[in-house]
Amino acid sequence: MRGRDPHLPVHLRAWARGHGHTVAGDADGDGAFTLVRGGAGEARWRGAVRAGGPGPGGVVDRAPATWGLAARGALVEDGGPPLRLADLDRKADVWADVVPKLYAQALGGQWDPATAVDWGSPLNADPEVEGAVVQVMTYLVENELAALQVPARFIARVHPHFREVVQLLAVQAADEARHVEVFTRRAELSGHPLGTSGAGGRASLQTLLDEPDFSLAAFLLAVLGEGTFLDLLGFLERHGPDPVTRRVAHLARADEARHVAFGVAHLEHRVAAEPEFRGRLRAAIEHRHDVLASTAGLHAGVHDALVVLASGSWTAAAVAAGWDRVAALTAAMDEGRRRRLGRLGFPPGEAAELSALHTRNFM
Ligand SMILES: [Fe+2]
Ligand SMILES: [Fe+2]
């Protein structure tokens, strides 16, 4: 370095010392100095590690807590605070290869309740039928709230290294928030008082909130509960007595299909790596069944409301047809559960037995 300022040597040496470098030169008084790089800058990055790679291919089997909130693929300086909440740090415990694709689909599938539904459409004039719709909506809201709380509880527990899983759970929680909104709005539409909330149904939902294991919660909620709800929402879409009921069921069902797809894919991933995990899935269904054995499950008001809703009018012949439709619905729900259990490797006999133990509350 060269300069004409007489204070250059003083300032240059002070700056160099502050940054861990040294200054050599000006031995022959020619005003030329040489800045010699010190080791302090590199020492800072000694022990730094790459936190995997940025794309899904860069996901590691186990993410250390010391990587903290660093972007996947970043060079992580040693010595930062470890993440305390994110105990789900094993890829096998949270991952499915389809997650990045499902997240992209979820973003593409977002809809706005204000514009996606024509809230001014006419309702069925029969007050009994309208009461049945309101009862079903009241029931749906509490189930949607459970489906919101479960992923929301896990968001902070999944290590952010598994970014796509965290993002998918966040969008899933937003989906459920919309479902709570549209079912509440449909319930309030006619001014009919809201329906009843049975203790047995809420006891059933509480067992979902109480499950601390991510994979078991995904199994009970997504594979079995939301899987069963796909049939229920399809039923409401087909037999709903007014366009708003049919439309909100249709919109929620499209979101639920993604939630079920993630649950099934994650469990397929997990049992492929740990076939013995199937035993824990079985135990989770049996345990939930035992806990709920003394409760009513689906309360009779909801069952009857489904019959009246699907009848469309309050005549003996219509109610008989509604009854047959609800019987066909519960058979389809059972068949769907057995099919999904089959995808997780349960043989047909065991799948049928486990499907029969699923909560009468559907979710
Ligand atoms: Fe939902
Ligand atoms: Fe859902």
Side-chain angles (χ1 to χ4, degrees):
M1 300 190 68
R2 282 174 187 283
R4 283 190 297 275
D5 190 303
H7 301 109
L8 175 64
V10 176
H11 292 309
L12 187 59
R13 286 203 176 86
W15 180 87
R17 206 165 35 246
H19 289 79
H21 308 309
T22 53
V23 176
D26 197 33
D28 44 9
D30 63 353
F33 300 87
T34 305
L35 194 55
V36 182
R37 186 208 292 266
E42 271 127 40
R44 180 179 170 194
W45 296 103
R46 199 172 293 145
V49 287
R50 276 279 159 215
V59 170
V60 301
D61 288 339
R62 183 160 206 164
T66 49
W67 287 0
L69 298 166
R72 193 168 70 221
L75 183 64
V76 184
E77 185 180 2
D78 200 15
L83 265 186
R84 274 177 278 276
L85 282 179
D87 61 317
L88 294 168
D89 58 356
R90 280 182 0 123
K91 180 181 178 183
D93 291 352
V94 297
W95 191 256
D97 291 331
V98 76
V99 167
K101 202 173 113 194
L102 284 176
Y103 174 62
Q105 279 177 7
L107 292 186
Q110 298 298 293
W111 43 273
D112 178 357
T115 53
V117 181
D118 180 2
W119 295 102
S121 305
L123 301 178
N124 187 299
D126 187 329
E128 297 284 354
V129 173
E130 176 58 17
V133 171
V134 172
Q135 175 60 68
V136 171
M137 293 296 148
T138 307
Y139 158 83
L140 288 177
V141 169
E142 68 187 29
N143 283 268
E144 296 295 344
L145 283 168
L148 190 163
Q149 292 216 354
V150 172
R153 254 178 1 109
F154 283 109
I155 288 174
R157 285 188 54 200
V158 175
H159 194 300
H161 179 75
F162 308 107
R163 180 184 74 223
E164 294 86 345
V165 176
V166 176
Q167 290 170 304
L168 187 64
L169 293 177
V171 179
Q172 190 169 324
D175 291 342
E176 306 299 9
R178 270 198 321 270
H179 302 170
V180 171
E181 177 186 342
V182 293
F183 294 145
T184 302
R185 225 163 138 174
R186 172 61 191 88
E188 292 172 328
L189 209 51
S190 58
H192 197 286
L194 253 66
T196 53
S197 166
R202 283 183 285 110
S204 179
L205 295 177
Q206 188 61 44
T207 59
L208 294 176
L209 307 188
D210 290 343
E211 177 51 65
D213 183 280
F214 181 80
S215 297
L216 296 181
F219 178 61
L220 295 176
L221 173 71
V223 178
L224 295 174
E226 292 175 318
T228 301
F229 254 54
L230 285 180
D231 289 308
L232 176 61
L233 294 168
F235 174 90
L236 297 175
E237 188 181 350
R238 270 195 313 282
H239 303 303
D242 61 87
V244 176
T245 297
R246 294 193 291 269
R247 179 68 178 157
V248 292
H250 169 80
L251 290 165
R253 191 176 187 281
D255 294 335
E256 293 306 335
R258 286 193 309 274
H259 307 170
V260 175
F262 170 61
V264 172
H266 167 60
L267 270 307
E268 277 180 327
H269 196 270
R270 180 121 196 204
V271 296
E274 304 166 48
E276 68 282 4
F277 196 76
R278 247 178 243 119
R280 291 189 58 196
L281 298 181
R282 184 191 171 95
I285 297 184
E286 289 171 342
H287 174 70
R288 189 177 184 208
H289 178 264
D290 292 347
V291 168
L292 296 174
S294 62
T295 69
L298 185 72
H299 87 87
V302 176
H303 182 272
D304 293 351
L306 287 171
V307 171
V308 174
L309 178 151
S311 307
S313 73
W314 196 244
T315 66
V319 172
W323 181 272
D324 289 343
R325 285 171 178 162
V326 173
L329 167 65
T330 52
M333 288 169 160
D334 176 51
E335 206 249 297
R337 283 195 298 271
R338 282 185 281 131
R339 193 175 62 244
R340 287 180 202 99
L341 288 164
R343 280 184 61 184
L344 301 183
F346 288 100
E350 194 178 0
E353 186 195 330
L354 292 178
S355 172
L357 293 180
H358 181 63
T359 173
R360 279 163 290 182
N361 188 54
F362 301 151
M363 180 62 88

